[in-house]
Amino acid sequence: MHPQLAADLAALPDLLETTRQHAAAFLDGLDQAPVVPARPAPEPAPLPEHASGLRDALGDFTARWEPGLSASAGPRYLGFVTGGATPAALAGDWLTAAADQNSMSSLDATGQHLERETVGWLRALFGLSDAHHGALVSGATQSNTVGLAIAREWLGERRGVSPAEDGVAALGPVRVLSGAAHSSIAKGLSVLGLGRAALVTVPTLPDREAVDPAALERALQEADGPCVIVANAGTVNTVDFDDLRALAELRDRYGCWLHLDAAFGAFAALSPRHAHLADGLDLADSLCIDLHKWLNVPYDSAVQFTRRPDLQARVFQNAAAYLGPLGDTPDLVHLTPENSRRLRALPAWFTLRAYGREGHREIVERCVEGARTLGATVAALDGLRLLSPVHLNVVCFTLATRPTADRLAALADALATEVFLTPTVHAGLPALRAAFSNWRTAPEDVRRVGAALAAAVRQLPLD
Ligand SMILES: *Cc1c(COP(=O)(O)O)cnc(C)c1O
């Protein structure tokens, strides 16, 4: 063994303790740190030729890279839909790396069993029936892509071909209908060879991002043959929800596949006050839920559920001499794009084990409360205009006068040390979004964000 590796091995408990203290100090500083520091990236350094050990690497990281890291784990990073990591989720993630399991088959199965237990807990959390089988993937984009891959195989089944075996050309043209599909749906269609052009945008209800079921029915009549419907539970601008029961009825009447993107909207199901929004999650044929957003596990983690694991295994099976037959409960290696991956379920297992349904419900309800309070602040500010009622955890707003993308970018820039917001376009207007999904966000943070917004709007030049 190289002497430096031997020295680090001998000092491992000490080195881990140093790293732990470092991580604790970083997390402790999140409240004071600039949310997104304005710093140029360090010059790339050459590959180290010689071994200098973990302590030296930690010193270099701390000096060169850490100062530029955002406080995305903290309470006022409201860009995208981000989430943080609960204490238990973080501990679970550390142990994932420490144990370094690649548990995708019954040849070494404990991790795979732990993932199945976790999927069972997630099913119960979201009120899904046992008919839904699940697996963990790296994020909602991958979850949507896997769901669409299963849908593609289902279309093949209806047309008497197998795209997994014969290639996607055997399938013929495909229509994927959606009201306000997330950008990751088009990406998934591109990856799967179905093509971005397969996505047909169906009109939404007036002043809404939810699909108009009557318009969807007309599109299904015109389509003449089985389609894929992509339903949305929680759109990113206004957190609008499609009428899932109406869409499931259309699915039954017209013989379609119903994929549901509920990346963060599914979490409405945790709160009796908001559960009606996500009513009907269980009716989907495939379902995408992100875990690194509102479950507050570290990146990267999402779950994908489906009622047709047999079709899923047809797409993702990895036939190899050393892996067993598929059987009724296929090994994970046959269900997801990866053949090898970390024990991704462990952080989710830890946070669910530590805080349960009750703890995660409290996070959801506090985030919604924060969004409502900020929504009221924005509505009351002269220079700003709320673009939608706050349906759940996102506040979508713009400038009351001259709402150009440049002026909004200047506003976001002026705010960045105190709060991070991301740009969007809603109903043709450039806008900003504040999305609440971090477990640490407290009423005091919401007050700070409101005060920072008021000050920044006042100081914004008129042109
Ligand atoms: C975030 C999000 C996605 C993509 O999620 P990633 O985890 O970034 O891959 C897809 N759909 C919706 C509705 C989302 O909010």
Side-chain angles (χ1 to χ4, degrees):
M1 190 185 282
H2 187 285
Q4 186 61 60
L5 280 169
D8 276 12
L9 178 58
L12 190 56
D14 267 359
L15 290 171
L16 290 183
E17 179 55 22
T18 302
T19 310
R20 183 198 67 76
Q21 285 176 11
H22 190 88
F26 178 83
L27 291 175
D28 206 37
L30 285 180
D31 268 337
Q32 290 78 43
V35 178
V36 177
R39 274 179 74 94
E43 281 300 306
L47 169 72
E49 296 294 339
H50 304 291
S52 62
L54 167 55
R55 227 177 261 289
D56 193 47
L58 183 61
D60 192 30
F61 167 73
T62 308
R64 293 177 61 237
W65 290 104
E66 196 176 78
L69 295 184
S70 68
S72 69
R76 278 170 286 104
Y77 189 96
L78 307 182
F80 312 108
V81 181
T82 298
T86 63
L90 176 58
D93 206 69
W94 283 356
L95 293 174
T96 303
D100 195 21
Q101 305 283 291
N102 178 20
S103 185
M104 298 290 276
S105 84
S106 31
L107 295 174
D108 175 7
T110 300
Q112 175 167 287
H113 289 306
L114 182 141
E115 175 157 330
R116 290 191 183 127
E117 177 169 277
T118 310
V119 166
W121 290 358
L122 290 166
R123 201 163 40 217
L125 189 70
F126 297 112
L128 304 178
S129 71
D130 289 352
H132 273 288
H133 296 249
L136 269 76
V137 290
S138 58
T141 300
Q142 193 72 294
S143 178
N144 278 330
T145 304
V146 171
L148 292 169
I150 303 168
R152 185 184 66 180
E153 201 58 19
W154 175 85
L155 284 170
E157 188 179 67
R158 298 291 306 262
R159 297 177 187 178
V161 295
S162 167
E165 293 305 318
D166 308 324
V168 73
L171 194 55
V174 167
R175 273 192 198 207
V176 179
L177 307 172
S178 191
H182 186 268
S183 52
S184 60
I185 296 294
K187 183 171 180 167
L189 293 173
S190 161
V191 169
L192 293 168
L194 295 170
R196 296 174 199 269
L199 183 59
V200 178
T201 300
V202 178
T204 52
L205 293 166
D207 298 324
R208 296 272 307 273
E209 288 186 307
V211 73
D212 176 355
L216 180 60
E217 178 153 22
R218 283 194 296 278
L220 289 169
Q221 285 162 348
E222 280 163 23
D224 183 33
C227 293
V228 176
I229 301 171
V230 173
N232 302 296
T235 54
V236 290
N237 279 348
T238 68
V239 198
D240 210 341
F241 289 75
D242 287 347
D243 180 341
L244 302 177
R245 292 198 178 275
L247 267 50
E249 229 179 86
L250 289 174
R251 179 263 319 268
D252 294 341
R253 197 161 343 127
Y254 290 89
C256 301
W257 182 271
L258 182 62
H259 174 76
L260 174 54
D261 181 354
F264 66 96
F267 286 82
L270 272 63
S271 164
R273 262 180 261 161
H274 309 295
H276 63 278
L277 293 170
D279 179 43
L281 288 182
D282 189 50
L283 298 167
D285 297 303
S286 52
L287 171 60
C288 154
I289 304 177
D290 233 333
L291 303 180
H292 54 219
K293 289 177 181 166
W294 225 348
L295 191 68
N296 280 268
V297 302
Y299 288 104
D300 37 21
S301 187
V303 62
Q304 72 69 224
F305 288 104
T306 184
R307 293 171 169 274
R308 291 293 305 271
D310 58 322
L311 295 179
Q312 182 170 10
R314 234 190 265 166
V315 178
F316 293 103
Q317 65 176 289
N318 187 69
Y322 59 90
L323 296 168
L326 287 181
D328 287 339
T329 314
D331 283 341
L332 293 178
V333 68
H334 300 302
L335 295 177
T336 63
E338 307 93 341
N339 277 351
S340 300
R341 64 163 155 85
R342 70 208 308 259
L343 179 48
R344 187 171 282 130
L346 194 54
W349 185 95
F350 259 87
T351 199
L352 291 170
R353 176 67 184 78
Y355 313 116
R357 190 193 297 276
E358 164 190 82
H360 281 278
R361 168 184 164 180
E362 192 277 331
I363 294 173
V364 167
E365 292 184 341
R366 181 157 37 85
C367 285
V368 175
E369 206 43 51
R372 294 217 166 142
T373 305
L374 185 67
T377 306
V378 166
L381 273 174
D382 273 348
L384 296 179
R385 186 175 141 214
L386 197 58
L387 286 180
S388 159
V390 176
H391 294 128
L392 201 67
N393 60 327
V394 173
V395 185
C396 185
F397 63 94
T398 193
L399 289 163
T401 47
R402 303 217 320 104
T404 62
D406 284 352
R407 273 165 50 81
L408 286 159
L411 180 65
D413 261 7
L415 289 165
T417 50
E418 189 68 354
V419 56
F420 180 61
L421 307 176
T422 40
T424 189
V425 174
H426 180 62
L429 275 181
L432 291 175
R433 295 166 60 258
F436 289 75
S437 54
N438 188 293
W439 69 284
R440 290 173 67 142
T441 309
E444 169 59 14
D445 295 299
V446 182
R447 201 197 55 70
R448 275 177 70 171
V449 171
L453 252 179
V457 170
R458 240 181 284 122
Q459 283 157 21
L460 196 66
L462 272 173
D463 42 32

